[in-house]
Amino acid sequence: MPDSQPQPPHSPSPSDSAGPGSLLLTGARLADGRTVDVRLHGGRIEAVGTAGSLTPRRAPGPGGRPYPGGHRDPDGHPDPDGRRDPGGHPGPGGRLDLGGYLLLPAPADPHVHADTALTADVPGPVSYDPEDVQRRATEAALLQLGHGATASRAHVRVGDVAGLGALTAVLRTRRSLRGLAELTAVAMPRVLTGVAGADGLAILRDAVKMGADVVGGCPDLDPDPTGYVEAVLEVAAEHGCPVDLHTDAADPARLARLAAMAGGLRPGVAVGPCDGLGRLPAEVVSRAADGLAAAGVTVVCLPQGACGASDHPGGTAPVRLLRAAGVRVTAGSGALRDVSNPVGRGDPLEAAYLLASRHGLRPEEAYDAVSAAARAALGLPEVRVEAGFPAELVAVRGDRLAGALSLSYSRIVVHRGRVVARTSAVREYGDSTGATDLGLPRQGRGGRGRRDGHGGPDGHRGPGDMP
């Protein structure tokens, strides 16, 4: 399935719906090394038990009662999995074998530019026609969903050429993706101060009334950066919105003022990508980090590359120093194949891999930055693979987190307790004497594929395979 043309995913059971369905995940490995069964129901994790200890929820019989006689249908036929209804169709209780997969809380993406996504190869200026933006934003969201991100925050330009058309398109995309993924929108005006800023401030208020979830923008591009921040915070306070600002953070005094102004604002303030901090002396960065931590400001770094809204793109935020100071640090994808980063992938697991390989975080810390920390930055509830938590999960081929971040091609994505995306990779090798001697998976008819370099040749389709 080409990356540029994602297709609507298939659910393991045609009777599943976004939320009320039931699904049993069997034989999944957790990050702590346990192998478990996980039962999902009503969009949440209902139970977690040792492998083989859980059974699917039995489909209700007539009058909503479970089928009598253990797992049998109304005609008395054995129904060991509790999956058949009186019509012989799959019932609401489904089973998915996750043997060979690592089950994790699903990642989220707190920083994506949906309005300009997938425009790197388009000649001429970017089109902000609502139909074009909606098509690109939908395709980008599905690409990210395939990578595992069940929630994302889209930064959308408002005013100037875009007007409110791009925001309208992203809000339509949000509605069309309901049940597949959660998408929130950040309204980004260019200028908010002076004579020119009056129009920007009016359009920002209109954007929030239209349905923008977050107030944002780039104060570094305004003639009066402090005045810009003041205006954003004022609108956010009026409507009770979170704030998410672009800043290079190369000016420590300006960053300190921003932190002081934002301190204590609820429901919260995020800034990013803060690449300029990486170019400052360590003692200056340390003071800035202390100020951000005291104000409760989240830093969203972009390890996969720059985004066009940054004044001076390049470099990366000093992730370890910020974390050591107590700053919540999360990671977003930024530009997804637009002119700012023509090869941007929008893959949270790649962001975690880069945090581990380039910034020295442990795999667990790196994955937390794109999962738990990202969800917290988006104001979403915490997810753990434990009973009672939301069923927002991703299964990746492998048995250890480090290996999954390195070779996590095959993935199964669960949103609200339902499988919403599957990606499968099969590796085969050409004919050669060495291939025969080593028992490598072979190309051609009857070939046996190896997925993601894990384990031996599979020789059959697994749960992550698409037909």
Side-chain angles (χ1 to χ4, degrees):
M1 183 172 63
D3 279 350
S4 61
Q5 296 182 5
Q7 301 297 316
H10 299 282
S11 170
S13 168
S15 62
D16 282 345
S17 60
S22 179
L23 179 64
L24 179 65
L25 310 176
T26 63
R29 191 177 184 92
L30 301 185
D32 62 11
R34 290 180 294 150
T35 301
V36 299
D37 293 346
V38 180
R39 188 166 60 222
L40 314 178
H41 183 71
R44 305 190 79 81
I45 299 173
E46 184 179 63
V48 178
T50 56
S53 67
L54 299 182
T55 58
R57 267 181 166 253
R58 283 183 286 170
R65 297 185 302 275
Y67 293 146
H71 294 290
R72 291 180 178 272
D73 66 20
D75 297 324
H77 299 120
D79 183 23
D81 291 338
R83 295 181 61 185
R84 289 170 25 150
D85 66 9
H89 301 294
R95 182 192 293 266
L96 187 61
D97 180 7
L98 290 184
Y101 279 76
L102 183 68
L103 187 64
L104 302 165
D109 195 325
H111 192 126
V112 60
H113 287 268
D115 54 348
T116 57
L118 310 174
T119 58
D121 297 327
V122 176
V126 173
S127 168
Y128 284 99
D129 178 82
E131 289 188 5
D132 292 338
V133 174
Q134 184 173 356
R135 174 183 52 78
R136 296 195 304 258
T138 301
E139 190 172 336
L142 290 177
L143 284 171
Q144 292 183 291
L145 179 64
H147 290 316
T150 61
S152 60
R153 176 179 281 181
H155 292 254
V156 185
R157 290 171 172 82
V158 296
D160 296 331
V161 175
L164 289 171
L167 178 63
T168 299
V170 171
L171 295 179
R172 288 175 183 166
T173 300
R174 178 177 68 186
R175 290 191 293 270
S176 70
L177 292 175
R178 192 165 293 146
L180 291 176
E182 295 185 40
L183 180 66
T184 55
V186 185
M188 291 179 51
R190 181 172 178 83
V191 177
L192 289 180
T193 65
V195 176
D199 289 341
L201 193 55
I203 205 166
L204 178 59
R205 288 192 165 95
D206 288 342
V208 176
K209 293 174 183 176
M210 281 178 56
D213 308 277
V214 186
V215 179
C218 186
D220 296 353
L221 300 180
D222 192 283
D224 179 4
T226 300
Y228 188 106
V229 174
E230 289 175 345
V232 165
L233 295 177
E234 179 182 342
V235 174
E238 289 173 4
H239 297 275
C241 295
V243 170
D244 197 330
L245 293 168
H246 286 69
T247 179
D248 183 59
D251 185 334
R254 183 187 301 171
L255 184 64
R257 286 194 297 271
L258 188 158
M261 294 162 61
L265 181 71
R266 296 293 181 267
V269 177
V271 297
C274 297
D275 297 338
L277 286 175
R279 302 189 291 270
L280 299 175
E283 62 274 14
V284 175
V285 177
S286 181
R287 288 195 297 272
D290 289 341
L292 292 171
V297 175
T298 296
V299 170
V300 183
C301 65
L302 302 178
Q304 295 177 89
C307 71
S310 297
D311 191 14
H312 301 289
T316 53
V319 172
R320 293 183 67 183
L321 194 155
L322 290 168
R323 284 174 52 89
V327 178
R328 177 197 289 149
V329 178
T330 182
S333 59
L336 176 56
R337 294 197 344 232
D338 67 19
V339 68
S340 302
N341 185 3
V343 295
R345 295 183 61 200
D347 185 351
L349 270 67
E350 181 183 51
Y353 155 77
L354 292 169
L355 290 175
S357 64
R358 296 178 57 185
H359 293 272
L361 299 190
R362 293 184 296 108
E364 295 78 12
E365 295 171 335
Y367 191 74
D368 179 85
V370 300
S371 56
R375 288 184 64 85
L378 297 181
L380 297 172
E382 182 183 10
V383 174
R384 300 182 195 169
V385 189
E386 298 177 12
F389 284 86
E392 302 289 322
L393 304 167
V394 62
V396 296
R397 194 77 178 177
D399 56 7
R400 293 288 187 276
L401 184 56
L405 296 185
S406 174
L407 290 168
S408 57
Y409 304 119
S410 294
R411 308 179 194 183
I412 302 173
V413 186
V414 175
H415 174 55
R416 297 185 185 178
R418 184 171 75 107
V419 174
V420 292
R422 306 184 189 200
T423 301
S424 180
V426 177
R427 181 173 297 155
E428 297 177 334
Y429 298 89
D431 292 340
S432 72
T433 303
T436 302
D437 294 343
L438 296 174
L440 297 176
R442 303 283 292 280
Q443 290 180 353
R445 184 175 298 175
R448 296 161 65 85
R450 184 189 306 272
R451 292 180 181 83
D452 298 349
H454 296 290
D458 290 22
H460 64 276
R461 290 189 181 274
D465 291 333
M466 298 295 288

PDB file of all heavy atoms in Angstrom, residues 88-110:
ATOM      1  N   GLY A  88     -25.288 -16.449  12.463  1.00  0.00           N
ATOM      2  CA  GLY A  88     -24.060 -17.072  12.023  1.00  0.00           C
ATOM      3  C   GLY A  88     -22.979 -16.089  11.644  1.00  0.00           C
ATOM      4  O   GLY A  88     -21.952 -16.478  11.106  1.00  0.00           O
ATOM      5  N   HIS A  89     -23.177 -14.799  11.911  1.00  0.00           N
ATOM      6  CA  HIS A  89     -22.180 -13.781  11.584  1.00  0.00           C
ATOM      7  C   HIS A  89     -21.273 -13.544  12.787  1.00  0.00           C
ATOM      8  O   HIS A  89     -21.642 -13.845  13.914  1.00  0.00           O
ATOM      9  CB  HIS A  89     -22.861 -12.475  11.187  1.00  0.00           C
ATOM     10  CG  HIS A  89     -23.758 -12.627  10.016  1.00  0.00           C
ATOM     11  ND1 HIS A  89     -23.300 -12.931   8.758  1.00  0.00           N
ATOM     12  CD2 HIS A  89     -25.117 -12.537   9.919  1.00  0.00           C
ATOM     13  CE1 HIS A  89     -24.320 -13.006   7.916  1.00  0.00           C
ATOM     14  NE2 HIS A  89     -25.429 -12.782   8.597  1.00  0.00           N
ATOM     15  N   PRO A  90     -20.101 -12.996  12.570  1.00  0.00           N
ATOM     16  CA  PRO A  90     -19.243 -12.676  13.718  1.00  0.00           C
ATOM     17  C   PRO A  90     -19.970 -11.758  14.685  1.00  0.00           C
ATOM     18  O   PRO A  90     -20.584 -10.768  14.285  1.00  0.00           O
ATOM     19  CB  PRO A  90     -18.040 -11.963  13.073  1.00  0.00           C
ATOM     20  CG  PRO A  90     -18.038 -12.452  11.660  1.00  0.00           C
ATOM     21  CD  PRO A  90     -19.485 -12.653  11.305  1.00  0.00           C
ATOM     22  N   GLY A  91     -19.927 -12.068  15.960  1.00  0.00           N
ATOM     23  CA  GLY A  91     -20.573 -11.254  16.974  1.00  0.00           C
ATOM     24  C   GLY A  91     -19.672 -10.140  17.421  1.00  0.00           C
ATOM     25  O   GLY A  91     -18.568  -9.955  16.899  1.00  0.00           O
ATOM     26  N   PRO A  92     -20.102  -9.374  18.419  1.00  0.00           N
ATOM     27  CA  PRO A  92     -19.313  -8.231  18.862  1.00  0.00           C
ATOM     28  C   PRO A  92     -18.039  -8.632  19.586  1.00  0.00           C
ATOM     29  O   PRO A  92     -17.179  -7.801  19.787  1.00  0.00           O
ATOM     30  CB  PRO A  92     -20.277  -7.483  19.796  1.00  0.00           C
ATOM     31  CG  PRO A  92     -21.260  -8.511  20.228  1.00  0.00           C
ATOM     32  CD  PRO A  92     -21.403  -9.460  19.096  1.00  0.00           C
ATOM     33  N   GLY A  93     -17.906  -9.902  19.975  1.00  0.00           N
ATOM     34  CA  GLY A  93     -16.676 -10.342  20.626  1.00  0.00           C
ATOM     35  C   GLY A  93     -15.716 -10.894  19.602  1.00  0.00           C
ATOM     36  O   GLY A  93     -15.975 -11.934  19.002  1.00  0.00           O
ATOM     37  N   GLY A  94     -14.571 -10.253  19.338  1.00  0.00           N
ATOM     38  CA  GLY A  94     -13.578 -10.710  18.387  1.00  0.00           C
ATOM     39  C   GLY A  94     -12.286 -11.050  19.086  1.00  0.00           C
ATOM     40  O   GLY A  94     -12.060 -10.688  20.236  1.00  0.00           O
ATOM     41  N   ARG A  95     -11.423 -11.797  18.387  1.00  0.00           N
ATOM     42  CA  ARG A  95     -10.137 -12.209  18.939  1.00  0.00           C
ATOM     43  C   ARG A  95      -9.043 -11.838  17.943  1.00  0.00           C
ATOM     44  O   ARG A  95      -9.197 -12.041  16.734  1.00  0.00           O
ATOM     45  CB  ARG A  95     -10.133 -13.716  19.184  1.00  0.00           C
ATOM     46  CG  ARG A  95      -8.843 -14.252  19.800  1.00  0.00           C
ATOM     47  CD  ARG A  95      -8.819 -15.766  19.735  1.00  0.00           C
ATOM     48  NE  ARG A  95      -9.826 -16.374  20.578  1.00  0.00           N
ATOM     49  CZ  ARG A  95      -9.615 -16.780  21.823  1.00  0.00           C
ATOM     50  NH1 ARG A  95      -8.425 -16.634  22.374  1.00  0.00           N
ATOM     51  NH2 ARG A  95     -10.579 -17.337  22.508  1.00  0.00           N
ATOM     52  N   LEU A  96      -7.938 -11.322  18.437  1.00  0.00           N
ATOM     53  CA  LEU A  96      -6.806 -10.955  17.588  1.00  0.00           C
ATOM     54  C   LEU A  96      -5.528 -11.482  18.224  1.00  0.00           C
ATOM     55  O   LEU A  96      -5.184 -11.108  19.346  1.00  0.00           O
ATOM     56  CB  LEU A  96      -6.730  -9.435  17.434  1.00  0.00           C
ATOM     57  CG  LEU A  96      -5.702  -8.877  16.447  1.00  0.00           C
ATOM     58  CD1 LEU A  96      -5.986  -9.379  15.036  1.00  0.00           C
ATOM     59  CD2 LEU A  96      -5.731  -7.354  16.466  1.00  0.00           C
ATOM     60  N   ASP A  97      -4.857 -12.373  17.523  1.00  0.00           N
ATOM     61  CA  ASP A  97      -3.624 -12.979  18.023  1.00  0.00           C
ATOM     62  C   ASP A  97      -2.472 -12.010  17.824  1.00  0.00           C
ATOM     63  O   ASP A  97      -2.126 -11.659  16.693  1.00  0.00           O
ATOM     64  CB  ASP A  97      -3.357 -14.286  17.270  1.00  0.00           C
ATOM     65  CG  ASP A  97      -2.086 -14.981  17.740  1.00  0.00           C
ATOM     66  OD1 ASP A  97      -1.473 -14.529  18.732  1.00  0.00           O
ATOM     67  OD2 ASP A  97      -1.709 -15.986  17.103  1.00  0.00           O
ATOM     68  N   LEU A  98      -1.856 -11.583  18.928  1.00  0.00           N
ATOM     69  CA  LEU A  98      -0.720 -10.661  18.855  1.00  0.00           C
ATOM     70  C   LEU A  98       0.581 -11.341  19.232  1.00  0.00           C
ATOM     71  O   LEU A  98       1.514 -10.686  19.707  1.00  0.00           O
ATOM     72  CB  LEU A  98      -0.973  -9.449  19.764  1.00  0.00           C
ATOM     73  CG  LEU A  98      -2.061  -8.475  19.305  1.00  0.00           C
ATOM     74  CD1 LEU A  98      -2.137  -7.277  20.241  1.00  0.00           C
ATOM     75  CD2 LEU A  98      -1.826  -8.015  17.875  1.00  0.00           C
ATOM     76  N   GLY A  99       0.653 -12.647  19.021  1.00  0.00           N
ATOM     77  CA  GLY A  99       1.919 -13.336  19.241  1.00  0.00           C
ATOM     78  C   GLY A  99       3.008 -12.742  18.369  1.00  0.00           C
ATOM     79  O   GLY A  99       2.824 -12.562  17.166  1.00  0.00           O
ATOM     80  N   GLY A 100       4.167 -12.433  18.954  1.00  0.00           N
ATOM     81  CA  GLY A 100       5.252 -11.803  18.210  1.00  0.00           C
ATOM     82  C   GLY A 100       5.176 -10.294  18.159  1.00  0.00           C
ATOM     83  O   GLY A 100       6.017  -9.651  17.527  1.00  0.00           O
ATOM     84  N   TYR A 101       4.171  -9.705  18.833  1.00  0.00           N
ATOM     85  CA  TYR A 101       4.012  -8.253  18.840  1.00  0.00           C
ATOM     86  C   TYR A 101       4.214  -7.694  20.242  1.00  0.00           C
ATOM     87  O   TYR A 101       3.885  -8.340  21.237  1.00  0.00           O
ATOM     88  CB  TYR A 101       2.619  -7.859  18.350  1.00  0.00           C
ATOM     89  CG  TYR A 101       2.465  -7.845  16.851  1.00  0.00           C
ATOM     90  CD1 TYR A 101       2.342  -9.034  16.151  1.00  0.00           C
ATOM     91  CD2 TYR A 101       2.462  -6.653  16.134  1.00  0.00           C
ATOM     92  CE1 TYR A 101       2.202  -9.037  14.767  1.00  0.00           C
ATOM     93  CE2 TYR A 101       2.320  -6.635  14.754  1.00  0.00           C
ATOM     94  CZ  TYR A 101       2.200  -7.834  14.077  1.00  0.00           C
ATOM     95  OH  TYR A 101       2.070  -7.825  12.707  1.00  0.00           O
ATOM     96  N   LEU A 102       4.734  -6.479  20.283  1.00  0.00           N
ATOM     97  CA  LEU A 102       4.878  -5.716  21.522  1.00  0.00           C
ATOM     98  C   LEU A 102       3.718  -4.733  21.605  1.00  0.00           C
ATOM     99  O   LEU A 102       3.508  -3.948  20.682  1.00  0.00           O
ATOM    100  CB  LEU A 102       6.210  -4.969  21.520  1.00  0.00           C
ATOM    101  CG  LEU A 102       6.592  -4.160  22.762  1.00  0.00           C
ATOM    102  CD1 LEU A 102       6.874  -5.096  23.932  1.00  0.00           C
ATOM    103  CD2 LEU A 102       7.820  -3.291  22.466  1.00  0.00           C
ATOM    104  N   LEU A 103       2.956  -4.783  22.691  1.00  0.00           N
ATOM    105  CA  LEU A 103       1.776  -3.938  22.842  1.00  0.00           C
ATOM    106  C   LEU A 103       2.106  -2.738  23.715  1.00  0.00           C
ATOM    107  O   LEU A 103       2.572  -2.885  24.844  1.00  0.00           O
ATOM    108  CB  LEU A 103       0.630  -4.743  23.453  1.00  0.00           C
ATOM    109  CG  LEU A 103      -0.735  -4.042  23.527  1.00  0.00           C
ATOM    110  CD1 LEU A 103      -1.262  -3.735  22.128  1.00  0.00           C
ATOM    111  CD2 LEU A 103      -1.727  -4.897  24.306  1.00  0.00           C
ATOM    112  N   LEU A 104       1.838  -1.542  23.188  1.00  0.00           N
ATOM    113  CA  LEU A 104       2.214  -0.291  23.851  1.00  0.00           C
ATOM    114  C   LEU A 104       1.043   0.685  23.856  1.00  0.00           C
ATOM    115  O   LEU A 104       0.148   0.593  23.006  1.00  0.00           O
ATOM    116  CB  LEU A 104       3.385   0.372  23.108  1.00  0.00           C
ATOM    117  CG  LEU A 104       4.667  -0.432  22.946  1.00  0.00           C
ATOM    118  CD1 LEU A 104       5.551   0.218  21.893  1.00  0.00           C
ATOM    119  CD2 LEU A 104       5.397  -0.533  24.274  1.00  0.00           C
ATOM    120  N   PRO A 105       1.046   1.647  24.779  1.00  0.00           N
ATOM    121  CA  PRO A 105       0.100   2.768  24.641  1.00  0.00           C
ATOM    122  C   PRO A 105       0.345   3.479  23.312  1.00  0.00           C
ATOM    123  O   PRO A 105       1.495   3.674  22.905  1.00  0.00           O
ATOM    124  CB  PRO A 105       0.447   3.672  25.830  1.00  0.00           C
ATOM    125  CG  PRO A 105       1.105   2.768  26.827  1.00  0.00           C
ATOM    126  CD  PRO A 105       1.857   1.756  26.010  1.00  0.00           C
ATOM    127  N   ALA A 106      -0.709   3.837  22.623  1.00  0.00           N
ATOM    128  CA  ALA A 106      -0.548   4.475  21.320  1.00  0.00           C
ATOM    129  C   ALA A 106       0.134   5.833  21.464  1.00  0.00           C
ATOM    130  O   ALA A 106      -0.136   6.575  22.407  1.00  0.00           O
ATOM    131  CB  ALA A 106      -1.898   4.647  20.643  1.00  0.00           C
ATOM    132  N   PRO A 107       0.997   6.190  20.515  1.00  0.00           N
ATOM    133  CA  PRO A 107       1.603   7.527  20.532  1.00  0.00           C
ATOM    134  C   PRO A 107       0.603   8.587  20.080  1.00  0.00           C
ATOM    135  O   PRO A 107      -0.477   8.277  19.568  1.00  0.00           O
ATOM    136  CB  PRO A 107       2.760   7.398  19.534  1.00  0.00           C
ATOM    137  CG  PRO A 107       2.339   6.317  18.605  1.00  0.00           C
ATOM    138  CD  PRO A 107       1.504   5.362  19.409  1.00  0.00           C
ATOM    139  N   ALA A 108       0.978   9.825  20.291  1.00  0.00           N
ATOM    140  CA  ALA A 108       0.210  10.975  19.809  1.00  0.00           C
ATOM    141  C   ALA A 108       1.205  11.969  19.217  1.00  0.00           C
ATOM    142  O   ALA A 108       2.385  11.963  19.571  1.00  0.00           O
ATOM    143  CB  ALA A 108      -0.582  11.618  20.943  1.00  0.00           C
ATOM    144  N   ASP A 109       0.725  12.818  18.322  1.00  0.00           N
ATOM    145  CA  ASP A 109       1.605  13.810  17.678  1.00  0.00           C
ATOM    146  C   ASP A 109       1.135  15.208  18.046  1.00  0.00           C
ATOM    147  O   ASP A 109       0.090  15.667  17.571  1.00  0.00           O
ATOM    148  CB  ASP A 109       1.603  13.633  16.167  1.00  0.00           C
ATOM    149  CG  ASP A 109       2.754  14.377  15.507  1.00  0.00           C
ATOM    150  OD1 ASP A 109       3.108  15.477  15.998  1.00  0.00           O
ATOM    151  OD2 ASP A 109       3.318  13.869  14.528  1.00  0.00           O
ATOM    152  N   PRO A 110       1.888  15.928  18.886  1.00  0.00           N
ATOM    153  CA  PRO A 110       1.453  17.253  19.332  1.00  0.00           C
ATOM    154  C   PRO A 110       1.806  18.399  18.391  1.00  0.00           C
ATOM    155  O   PRO A 110       1.506  19.556  18.703  1.00  0.00           O
ATOM    156  CB  PRO A 110       2.193  17.407  20.666  1.00  0.00           C
ATOM    157  CG  PRO A 110       3.470  16.653  20.450  1.00  0.00           C
ATOM    158  CD  PRO A 110       3.123  15.497  19.554  1.00  0.00           C
TER     159      PRO A 110
END
